[in-house]
Amino acid sequence: MTPTREDELSEIIRDASGPLAVRGGGTRGINLAGGDLSTRGLTGITLYEPGALTLVVKAGTPLVEVETALAAERQRLAFEPQDLRTLLGTDGASTIGGVVATNASGPRRIQVGACRDHLLGVRFVDGAGNIIKNGGRVMKNVTGYDLVKLLAGSYGTLGVLTEVSLKVLPLPQHEATLTITGLDETQAVAAMSAALGSPYDITGAAFTEGRVMIRLEGFTESVAYRAEKLAKDLGHFGKVEIGPADWQDVRDVAAFAKQVGDVWRVSIRPSALIETLAALRADGPVQIVTDWGGGLVWVLCDEGRDLRLSLLTGHATRVRGTPNGDAPRFQPEAAPVAALSAGLRQRFDPRGILNPGVMG
Amino acid sequence: MQMPQPSNRVLALKSQLADRLRQVLPKDAVISDLAETRAYECDGLSAYRCPPMLAVLPASTQEVSDVLRICHEMGVPVVPRGSGTSLAGGAMPTSDCVILGVARLNAVLETDYADRIIRVQTGRTNLSVTGAVEAEGFFYAPDPSSQLACAIAGNIAMNSGGAHCLKYGVTTNNLLGVKMVMMDGTVVEIGGGHLDAPGLDLLGVICGSEGQLGVVTEATLRILHKPEGARPVLIGFNGNAVAGACVSDIIKAGVLPVAIEFMDRPCIEACEAFAHAGYPDCEALLIVEVEGSDAEIDHQLALIGEIAARHNPVEVREARDADEAARIWLGRKSAFGAMGQINDYMCLDGTIPVTELPNVLDRIRQMSAEYGLDVANVFHAGDGNMHPLILYNANTPGDLERCEAFGAAILKLCVEVGGCLTGEHGVGIEKRDLMHVQFNAADLDAQMSVKDVFDPGWLLNPAKVFPLDASAGHRAA
């Protein structure tokens, strides 16, 4: 079913007799059980005010359409949503609602925040068919509880998004990347922490295929100035080269796209990177792509391995791979927290029909 | 302001409850004498006062858990309190409640500059979080104007903002993890030093829940390295509309100032009379602050100057040094003091789309004439967060009521043009009964269902945020 209006969607959900598989572009490669319910009929930009940095858009609108409209005004979604289609071997077109429902956030998360930090408001239909709005279209809003954050990254389990309001930001005039090669992992994380602890407004810090990459964005002169200062500060780690770089490959984990194996996303404190990698390697071979200054590790490992069994700290999500035994996609939560999550699902979706089981 | 009838059952428990609390807390941490509980009778919204039944000052998460468990067992409402600086009555007691103050929970538990985080107990003041890391060149970004006094616990409860949030975001964008005690005494940990949490974003809904979901005792906060420098420019205009258009153009040009502050004529005149900052004689004034190295600041200020020039400014005054920067900020920072000297005032906090600025200021001016009360506007223009100050005289019978009616009319206008009731102060009791203006029954029910999950007995911070008629069914359930 592909409703084209919010009230139509509300009726479908209210009248549903069984589970619904809620999807936008279906690019995440998540197997959903239940009757097909697509948001792709809910499309169009409701409001775009470049001078107020705000965009209101229907949830089923293709991401590419949103990005094209923003680019025409030299603006962008600064949280850098990923395109994981190549990694996951999926096709289809990502929707803005799917981006929000998965809180998809790329390398710039370390500076500007995640998708949830740019989400100003939502409209959604809950599991009983109620149409609910929360937040709005203004930058600062503490009126009532923040269900906006709760809906971001809820994978359609609390409600089906129909419209989202987002904060957008201007495109920078210039971008440059400092690259240092030949560092081991200990040196790499130290170099990234040093850069992120500087006053130079780093918008990307990644370590992949033996290279540390540090991104700077802004006015041309400012980027040149900061790049020079930072190159000097990081000089003792190795030779620093300054130039363009392909951040899309980091964002989309291109390094693992053509390789066989499961892919996990591990979230840790950067200072825990070295012991985390040692523990992962002790239990089997892994390859890594490190983003967020060492705080986000994409791990390629043998098919069927439960990476969590090797994890000492942080949490892990399986992004690619078939479910194996008891290992769910998302990291199970501690009992009292899991009880809160379950309670919220029960309230927002009393019949348990929205993407059941997707988040565990 | 209507508050629920105090429960005689609860009031009768006072001495029994005090005894039980004294078994789990030090003697001086349980306050039951009316002379002393009166210290907690109000917060920053001092027009409303009510001494609590008891006040407790636990000094550890375990003590907070013990207090909540006992209150939960006995069915006693609890009002959590940070430093009591809320302007919305977020920490106002009921006469049958226990005030739970977190002031004794003020330790720094961990700082990690490599991971750029600090973990603190939440009674710690906002400014002293920065104080703990500034020797290393770092700071904690959210900076509410009460930052000298306000506690991180209150910042989390109200999702506090500040003058610099245009660039750095508000509390929710800088909070990575919490340790929180639920009403039944259960301790939960959500998030941590990493940048995201698995599962539903519970942290996102806890932040800004006005102390109604749990008592946060520890917080992991993001810290940032300070910029190399910062400098403001002052730009005067002969109309509100043209100043508003200039704000839009600055934002569109790709400059991201850390702050864009707006003052209208009544505010400029009051500040000038009070602080003698040397502001130009004009209808509207912007203070735009940018950060970076000297050369970066020069470049950004030049660009802002070019943009402003297209809007026929009355004056563009760049700060050339720290002294001139301080003079530019002097008037703005003394705005509230200046108003206080003229009269009593009520400070509003609605947010509007930036593009509605000239229209809303015109309408406020018309309403000012209708209500017969003066109003001055200071404004975080970059993000549309307005702070109209309505002047009234508390000693004139009927003035407060007229002021409140005027305030409500302004907030309704904010919602009508696409904005909201509160941008950074919170709902508390002050805006509780206006929630119907912004939300319908389904919207409110969805929010209250979160409360049902976290605090099924509705004992935490009662009678705030949700209109009493809307919450009646949930409270009775």
Side-chain angles (χ1 to χ4, degrees):
Chain A
M1 284 170 291
T2 310
T4 56
R5 292 194 326 267
E6 191 177 60
D7 56 353
E8 200 185 330
L9 172 67
S10 160
E11 274 174 40
I12 291 171
I13 293 178
R14 199 171 51 222
D15 297 343
S17 54
L20 295 168
V22 185
R23 70 180 82 223
T27 61
R28 299 271 145 189
I30 301 174
N31 290 323
L32 302 167
D36 187 68
L37 179 56
S38 170
T39 61
R40 292 294 304 278
L42 300 160
T43 59
I45 290 172
T46 312
L47 175 139
Y48 175 30
E49 285 186 353
L53 303 178
T54 43
L55 172 80
V56 184
V57 59
K58 296 276 199 305
T61 310
L63 176 61
V64 63
E65 206 174 293
V66 171
E67 289 180 328
T68 305
L70 295 177
E73 295 286 341
R74 293 200 47 76
Q75 296 189 336
R76 66 179 177 189
L77 297 173
F79 56 89
E80 228 173 347
Q82 296 126 325
D83 179 352
L84 297 180
R85 285 177 294 181
T86 312
L87 179 73
L88 302 177
T90 55
D91 49 21
S94 295
T95 61
I96 192 69
V99 165
V100 170
T102 58
N103 191 29
S105 313
R108 206 174 289 106
R109 194 265 170 266
I110 50 170
Q111 196 232 10
V112 298
C115 174
R116 54 93 92 176
D117 297 295
H118 294 250
L119 190 63
L120 304 174
V122 291
R123 291 183 67 89
F124 64 98
V125 179
D126 74 7
N130 298 306
I131 297 170
I132 294 157
K133 68 168 183 299
N134 194 261
R137 55 177 266 224
V138 289
M139 299 281 175
K140 272 168 90 180
N141 187 346
V142 294
T143 320
Y145 291 175
D146 192 349
L147 305 184
V148 173
K149 304 274 184 311
L150 194 59
L151 266 287
S154 65
Y155 283 75
T157 62
L158 298 179
V160 180
L161 293 166
T162 60
E163 188 177 82
V164 295
S165 309
L166 290 153
K167 173 185 175 182
V168 299
L169 284 173
L171 277 173
Q173 199 175 52
H174 191 63
E175 170 188 323
T177 297
L178 280 65
T179 306
I180 315 175
T181 43
L183 302 191
D184 66 24
E185 284 151 355
T186 305
Q187 292 169 314
V189 75
M192 290 191 286
S193 281
L196 289 166
S198 78
Y200 304 124
D201 256 344
I202 310 302
T203 69
F207 177 56
T208 173
E209 292 166 333
R211 286 179 305 150
V212 166
M213 300 160 65
I214 308 287
R215 180 170 61 184
L216 295 163
E217 295 172 295
F219 292 111
T220 307
E221 299 87 340
S222 163
V223 170
Y225 163 79
R226 286 180 284 146
E228 191 191 329
K229 290 284 249 185
L230 201 54
K232 210 168 152 193
D233 289 357
L234 300 179
H236 64 280
F237 286 104
K239 186 170 179 301
V240 180
E241 289 179 60
I242 303 171
D246 195 347
W247 281 89
Q248 206 165 308
D249 279 358
V250 176
R251 185 193 73 182
D252 302 341
V253 209
F256 298 163
K258 296 211 171 69
Q259 302 200 54
V260 177
D262 288 356
V263 176
W264 290 71
R265 184 185 180 283
V266 178
S267 196
I268 50 170
R269 282 168 62 164
S271 57
L273 179 69
I274 301 308
E275 58 165 355
T276 299
L277 294 179
L280 295 179
R281 285 176 184 137
D283 295 339
V286 294
Q287 289 182 51
I288 60 156
V289 170
T290 306
D291 198 357
W292 296 359
L296 174 65
V297 192
W298 296 92
V299 182
L300 181 78
C301 66
D302 290 343
E303 286 180 339
R305 178 173 168 192
D306 182 355
L307 209 64
R308 284 183 203 113
L309 298 175
S310 320
L311 208 59
L312 308 167
T313 174
H315 63 91
T317 306
R318 191 184 55 247
V319 176
R320 186 177 81 185
T322 22
N324 167 42
D326 298 331
R329 178 182 179 84
F330 291 95
Q331 178 107 8
E333 295 167 315
V337 179
L340 292 173
S341 297
L344 290 172
R345 284 210 181 81
Q346 206 277 327
R347 289 278 169 171
F348 282 84
D349 178 21
R351 294 175 293 165
I353 60 169
L354 298 178
N355 283 351
V358 161
M359 293 191 82
Chain B
M1 184 58 55
Q2 191 204 342
M3 295 298 272
Q5 202 61 34
S7 159
N8 288 326
R9 177 192 67 80
V10 172
L11 291 172
L13 290 172
K14 179 174 175 175
S15 63
Q16 192 192 339
L17 175 63
D19 287 347
R20 281 194 70 182
L21 292 171
R22 286 194 178 99
Q23 285 165 20
V24 295
L25 296 177
K27 287 275 175 300
D28 70 340
V30 180
I31 299 161
S32 58
D33 184 70
L34 182 63
E36 291 178 75
T37 54
R38 201 172 280 288
Y40 300 93
E41 69 181 358
C42 72
D43 56 19
L45 186 70
S46 54
Y48 297 98
R49 291 161 195 267
C50 173
M53 179 168 69
L54 294 169
V56 294
L57 299 169
S60 68
T61 299
Q62 184 58 52
E63 288 182 0
V64 171
S65 171
D66 290 341
V67 168
L68 289 178
R69 180 177 41 78
I70 290 166
C71 290
H72 183 250
E73 281 170 14
M74 298 177 73
V76 177
V78 174
V79 173
R81 180 180 169 105
S83 299
T85 58
S86 170
L87 296 171
M92 202 191 93
T94 57
S95 60
D96 58 357
C97 87
V98 172
I99 281 274
L100 191 165
V102 294
R104 291 185 182 177
L105 290 154
N106 60 7
V108 172
L109 302 170
E110 183 189 3
T111 46
D112 190 323
Y113 299 103
D115 291 346
R116 298 164 304 284
I117 57 160
I118 182 167
R119 193 158 55 89
V120 298
Q121 290 183 320
T122 56
R124 197 167 179 89
T125 62
N126 174 291
L127 195 61
S128 74
V129 172
T130 289
V133 296
E134 67 185 347
E136 296 289 327
F138 282 76
F139 72 112
Y140 173 60
D143 59 340
S145 54
S146 57
Q147 67 178 157
L148 187 63
C150 65
I152 292 298
N155 290 180
I156 294 169
M158 303 315 245
N159 189 15
S160 303
H164 290 77
C165 53
L166 185 56
K167 178 171 180 187
Y168 294 112
V170 296
T171 301
T172 190
N173 312 113
N174 292 278
L175 175 69
L176 297 176
V178 293
K179 182 179 276 189
M180 182 174 86
V181 187
M182 311 283 297
M183 186 63 215
D184 66 2
T186 308
V187 178
V188 294
E189 287 195 56
I190 293 165
H194 37 78
L195 285 174
D196 58 4
L200 295 176
D201 191 350
L202 301 180
L203 194 59
V205 76
I206 288 165
C207 190
S209 62
E210 307 207 3
Q212 293 194 313
L213 302 185
V215 177
V216 175
T217 57
E218 290 179 20
T220 305
L221 307 167
R222 203 163 74 113
I223 51 172
L224 300 169
H225 197 285
K226 284 186 179 171
E228 288 180 271
R231 248 187 290 146
V233 57
L234 175 154
I235 315 167
F237 296 95
N238 55 21
N240 290 331
V242 71
C246 184
V247 171
S248 272
D249 284 355
I250 291 170
I251 289 172
K252 267 198 287 192
V255 190
L256 191 62
V258 279
I260 307 181
E261 297 290 301
F262 180 109
M263 298 164 73
D264 70 356
R265 180 179 277 282
C267 186
I268 298 166
E269 285 175 353
C271 292
E272 195 49 34
F274 181 76
H276 311 292
Y279 284 170
D281 179 24
C282 59
E283 289 302 314
L285 187 152
L286 297 179
I287 299 173
V288 186
E289 181 154 284
V290 295
E291 289 180 344
S293 65
D294 273 342
E296 288 176 295
I297 290 172
D298 286 344
H299 175 251
Q300 293 176 78
L301 291 183
L303 195 63
I304 290 166
E306 279 170 35
I307 295 165
R310 298 204 291 268
H311 296 277
N312 300 316
V314 176
E315 183 168 344
V316 179
R317 189 186 302 168
E318 263 185 45
R320 280 164 302 188
D321 53 39
D323 198 45
E324 287 189 5
R327 286 192 71 75
I328 287 177
W329 277 112
L330 176 67
R332 166 64 185 90
K333 288 191 171 166
S334 55
F336 288 42
M339 293 301 155
Q341 203 181 47
I342 299 173
N343 236 324
D344 300 304
Y345 68 83
M346 176 192 239
C347 173
L348 302 178
D349 175 45
T351 305
I352 57 168
V354 176
T355 39
E356 291 288 337
L357 165 63
N359 168 35
V360 169
L361 289 177
D362 280 353
R363 297 272 298 275
I364 289 178
R365 214 168 266 196
Q366 288 163 17
M367 284 192 273
S368 166
E370 286 163 26
Y371 284 90
L373 292 172
D374 286 333
V375 58
N377 283 289
V378 284
F379 194 92
H380 304 302
D383 48 37
N385 189 193
M386 303 189 76
H387 291 310
L389 305 174
I390 305 174
L391 304 180
Y392 71 103
N393 189 337
N395 296 321
T396 306
D399 238 28
L400 174 64
E401 290 71 20
R402 210 147 38 100
C403 175
E404 287 182 332
F406 184 12
I410 291 177
L411 293 181
K412 283 176 188 167
L413 174 63
C414 290
V415 175
E416 184 189 310
V417 300
C420 65
L421 297 172
T422 171
E424 59 184 359
H425 294 173
V427 177
I429 53 164
E430 189 200 22
K431 279 150 292 204
R432 183 190 72 191
D433 296 336
L434 289 170
M435 288 288 273
H436 286 307
V437 176
Q438 191 172 330
F439 297 111
N440 65 26
D443 300 335
L444 289 174
D445 265 329
Q447 295 177 38
M448 289 187 288
S449 67
V450 174
K451 170 82 169 163
D452 291 338
V453 171
F454 280 75
D455 175 25
W458 280 64
L459 290 171
L460 267 174
N461 214 6
K464 314 280 168 64
V465 185
F466 302 108
L468 296 179
D469 57 347
S471 65
H474 291 260
R475 284 182 282 132

